[in-house]
């Protein structure tokens, strides 16, 4: 069996893009067009007059950076995005990449239709029953591509395709709902990690407990120094507040200078693997502490456009690694405590996480295998400089949560250990089976399902 991989920007760290004998590079599939009001449904036109939202059609190879720029030039913006902008939009959505818009959802929740190629001579334009586009869009796509394009309206199929895991066909394009351009103002406050107010804010997703003088933020996260001492201010509360962009000239994001040069990062990774004393351990901890304090300075930062706020990564390509663990927010403090315990146990053996522990908060999605499956979801990310010990640390964190009976899933595009049993426990058997059933309907032959297979869906029992 030979499967087809769409390689995208190669941002994913999991096996979801592990190459096989056939590779599709979608770099030239980068077109973006506004969806004309004349081809919107009557219901969506009425809704649009109230919300001021718009629709755009973006081909799957367009990067988030290019969408931010082209939308900004039209005085529009994505409602949320991941922490960076290097993904291609199809891969960003297919792996369930979330933002941290605490009242919105994730990037896949901005998707209103999926243009999916499911065979050599067949594509579908797939929408939920509450459709936003008329069948004229399917006809336009068929004329533009020369590929027969069926207009399909089906909730179960659409919600499966929102987070497709690269296994439901080629995501040729997406219809995205976008909003009037806005700006984001950031505030940061350093706190002690055991501060009761902070813990309650995490438990309740209540940033107003930290910043009572502010309105509800667009974005809320808490970043912990994994080796901060008790009573040290080693937790960083970060919020972003939406403000009007009226009268402000649009600026695209500038590429960032890396936090450190590649050779420095490699040296730190090598040093961590050769730790043989407290002095070396102290050096690593000091570097982590310095980087966090530099990046998250107390106070307020001037307003930026969303594409600038969540712009280019500060880590050179190939030097980073990460896992992101997702739990029901009601279990967030328990999960955080067990993860920190696992890291502390390994610290005593000389193994260190060369990064931070970051919590972000996202509401429920209707997408079948979206990580944000609960009413409130806490994403616990452990980004690190790559070293041979990183995955060992991650595996110990996963095992600790299993031992403590905390149901979790992981970001599909980062390192994870997801199996069918874990998916059943976190999402529920019915939801997992619905995705598998939708896959068989979209790809009715075994050959087609084999072409669009990958190691991630195979190991997770989703084939």
């Amino acid at each position: 069996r030979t499967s087809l991989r769409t390689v995208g920007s190669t941002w994913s760290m999991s096996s979801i893009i592990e190459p096989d004998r056939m590779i599709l590079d979608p770099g030239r599939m980068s077109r973006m067009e506004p969806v004309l009001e004349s081809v919107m449904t009557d219901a969506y036109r009425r809704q649009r007059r109230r919300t001021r939202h718009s629709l755009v059609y973006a081909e799957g190879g367009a990067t988030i950076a290019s969408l931010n720029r082209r939308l900004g030039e039209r005085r529009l913006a994505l409602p949320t995005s991941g922490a960076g902008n290097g993904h291609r939009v199809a891969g960003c959505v297919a792996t369930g990449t979330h933002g941290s818009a605490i009242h919105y959802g994730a990037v896949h929740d901005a998707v209103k239709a999926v243009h999916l190629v499911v065979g050599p001579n067949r594509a579908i334009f797939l929408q939920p029953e509450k459709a936003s586009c008329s069948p004229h869009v399917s006809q336009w796509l068929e004329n533009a591509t020369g590929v027969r394009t069926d207009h399909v309206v089906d909730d179960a199929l659409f919600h499966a395709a929102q987070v497709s895991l690269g296994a439901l066909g080629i995501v040729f394009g997406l219809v995205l709902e976008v909003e009037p351009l806005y700006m984001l103002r950031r505030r940061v406050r350093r706190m002690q990690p055991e501060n009761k107010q902070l813990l309650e804010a995490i438990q309740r997703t209540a940033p107003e407990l930290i910043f009572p003088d502010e309105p509800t933020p667009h974005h809320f996260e808490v970043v912990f120094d994994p080796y901060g001492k008790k009573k040290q201010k080693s937790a960083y509360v970060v919020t972003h507040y939406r403000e009007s962009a009226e009268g402000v000239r649009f600026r695209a994001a500038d590429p960032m200078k890396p936090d450190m040069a590649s050779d420095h990062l490699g040296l730190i990774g090598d040093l961590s693997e050769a730790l043989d004393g407290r002095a070396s351990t102290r050096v690593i901890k000091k570097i982590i502490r310095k980087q966090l304090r530099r990046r998250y300075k107390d106070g307020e930062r001037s307003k930026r456009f969303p594409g600038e706020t969540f712009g280019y990564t500060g880590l050179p390509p190939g030097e980073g690694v990460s896992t992101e663990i997702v739990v029901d927010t009601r279990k967030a403090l328990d999960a955080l405590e067990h993860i920190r315990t696992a890291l502390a146990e390994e610290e005593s053996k000389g193994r260190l996480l060369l990064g931070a522990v970051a919590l972000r908060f996202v509401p429920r999605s209707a997408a079948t295998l979206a990580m944000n499956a609960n009413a409130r979801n806490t994403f616990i990310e452990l980004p690190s400089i790559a070293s041979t010990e990183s995955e060992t640390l991650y595996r110990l964190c996963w095992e600790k949560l299993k031992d403590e009976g905390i149901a979790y899933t992981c970001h599909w595009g980062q390192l994870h250990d997801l199996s069918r049993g874990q998916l059943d426990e976190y999402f529920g058997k019915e939801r997992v089976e619905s995705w598998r059933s939708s896959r068989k309907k979209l790809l009715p032959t075994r050959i087609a399902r084999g072409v669009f297979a990958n190691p991630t869906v195979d190991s997770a029992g989703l084939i």
Side-chain angles (χ1 to χ4, degrees):
R1 182 184 76 186
T2 299
S3 60
L4 171 65
R5 303 277 198 280
T6 305
V7 293
S9 292
T10 64
W11 264 38
S12 291
M13 302 169 196
S14 71
S15 59
I16 202 163
I17 57 161
E18 186 177 298
D20 203 347
R21 291 167 59 190
M22 289 194 297
I23 295 175
L24 173 67
D25 182 351
R28 292 186 179 272
M29 295 164 50
S30 58
R31 185 176 177 183
M32 188 197 87
E33 297 284 348
V35 175
L36 300 178
E37 191 167 355
S38 60
V39 296
M40 296 176 187
T41 61
D42 290 341
Y44 191 80
R45 277 199 294 268
R46 289 192 295 271
Q47 176 186 321
R48 182 171 180 257
R49 284 192 284 271
R50 186 179 71 254
T51 62
R52 296 176 62 215
H53 291 167
S54 301
L55 298 176
V56 297
Y57 175 81
E59 289 184 340
T63 64
I64 297 297
S66 70
L67 291 181
N68 284 336
R69 176 179 53 79
R70 286 181 279 180
L71 288 170
E73 289 166 353
R74 294 174 179 267
R75 308 299 294 180
L76 298 169
L78 294 168
T80 189
S81 66
N85 63 10
H87 342 55
R88 299 197 188 280
V89 65
C92 177
V93 168
T95 54
T97 299
H98 64 93
S100 184
I102 64 173
H103 293 306
Y104 182 81
V107 181
H108 44 264
D109 293 303
V111 175
K112 291 296 181 182
V114 182
H115 179 203
L116 202 60
V117 178
V118 293
N121 300 299
R122 182 174 177 250
I124 63 172
F125 184 67
L126 179 59
Q127 298 187 89
E129 291 174 17
K130 194 176 179 180
S132 57
C133 298
S134 73
H136 293 295
V137 176
S138 306
Q139 189 60 55
W140 174 74
L141 291 170
E142 182 170 315
N143 295 340
T145 62
V147 177
R148 187 188 110 203
T149 303
D150 298 332
H151 188 85
V152 178
V153 175
D154 184 293
D155 276 351
L157 296 181
F158 173 75
H159 292 316
Q162 276 181 287
V163 179
S164 67
L165 308 182
L168 303 183
I170 298 168
V171 178
F172 196 95
L174 300 157
V175 172
L176 301 169
E177 185 171 62
V178 295
E179 302 183 3
L181 185 62
Y182 55 91
M183 302 194 78
L184 293 170
R185 174 175 54 87
R186 185 177 87 160
R187 285 190 71 177
V188 177
R189 181 179 171 189
R190 283 177 58 197
M191 302 183 74
Q192 294 176 354
E194 65 274 12
N195 182 290
K196 290 182 179 179
Q197 200 174 35
L198 172 61
L199 298 179
E200 186 178 356
I202 292 170
Q203 188 71 48
R204 291 172 42 198
T205 316
E208 65 273 11
L209 295 176
I210 311 300
F211 297 111
D213 58 326
E214 293 280 13
T216 300
H218 169 77
H219 171 106
F220 171 44
E221 67 179 297
V222 183
V223 180
F224 291 92
D225 178 343
Y227 305 110
K229 295 178 181 177
K230 283 192 173 183
K231 298 191 178 179
Q232 264 187 355
K233 289 187 175 181
S234 57
Y236 303 80
V237 181
V238 184
T239 51
H240 291 94
Y241 301 90
R242 277 201 190 207
E243 297 201 356
S244 172
E246 192 71 33
V248 184
R249 185 178 178 182
F250 173 71
R251 303 180 301 268
D254 288 329
M256 288 174 62
K257 290 182 179 179
D259 286 337
M260 293 184 184
S262 294
D263 53 352
H264 289 173
L265 294 168
L267 177 63
I268 293 169
D270 292 343
L271 179 61
S272 74
E273 293 164 19
L275 290 176
D276 58 4
R278 293 182 180 179
S280 298
T281 305
R282 283 200 300 271
V283 169
I284 298 293
K285 290 180 182 178
K286 188 173 182 179
I287 292 171
I288 293 170
R289 188 175 308 118
K290 183 178 178 181
Q291 287 296 313
L292 290 174
R293 287 183 177 177
R294 186 178 67 82
R295 178 168 286 192
Y296 302 107
K297 292 180 180 177
D298 255 337
E300 190 169 311
R301 187 173 70 184
S302 60
K303 293 182 287 187
R304 297 184 182 185
F305 291 105
E308 295 177 294
T309 302
F310 304 108
Y312 294 92
T313 177
L315 202 59
E319 299 292 347
V321 69
S322 184
T323 189
E324 191 159 21
I325 297 163
V326 191
V327 298
D328 186 314
T329 296
R330 292 173 295 184
K331 295 286 186 181
L333 291 180
D334 288 342
L336 176 63
E337 184 60 31
H338 295 313
I339 288 169
R340 293 178 73 184
T341 297
L343 294 177
E345 289 171 356
E346 293 309 299
E347 178 193 359
S348 66
K349 301 172 187 175
R351 289 197 192 102
L352 295 178
L353 177 74
L354 306 180
V357 178
L359 274 62
R360 303 183 184 96
F361 308 87
V362 184
R364 190 195 301 274
S365 174
T368 314
L369 290 184
M371 297 169 285
N372 50 324
N374 305 292
R376 301 297 313 177
N377 306 270
T378 299
F379 290 66
I380 307 173
E381 185 172 19
L382 287 78
S384 175
I385 296 170
S387 77
T388 57
E389 294 178 342
S390 303
E391 193 163 349
T392 300
L393 288 171
Y394 295 154
R395 194 164 298 282
L396 290 166
C397 290
W398 300 330
E399 292 299 327
K400 178 72 77 172
L401 294 181
K402 288 177 194 171
D403 291 345
E404 299 296 335
I406 295 179
Y408 72 92
T409 191
C410 290
H411 192 305
W412 290 104
Q414 297 191 22
L415 297 183
H416 61 77
D417 67 337
L418 297 177
S419 65
R420 177 65 186 272
Q422 283 177 261
L423 297 185
D424 286 349
E425 184 180 7
Y426 182 82
F427 292 103
K429 290 184 180 181
E430 196 172 308
R431 199 163 179 166
V432 174
E433 191 51 47
S434 174
W435 193 91
R436 295 178 79 244
S437 175
S438 294
R439 185 170 189 263
K440 288 179 181 178
K441 289 177 183 176
L442 291 167
L443 304 171
T445 68
R446 184 170 293 182
I447 291 175
R449 293 195 293 275
V451 168
F452 296 113
N454 62 60
T456 290
V457 294
D458 199 353
S459 63
L462 294 168
I463 292 295

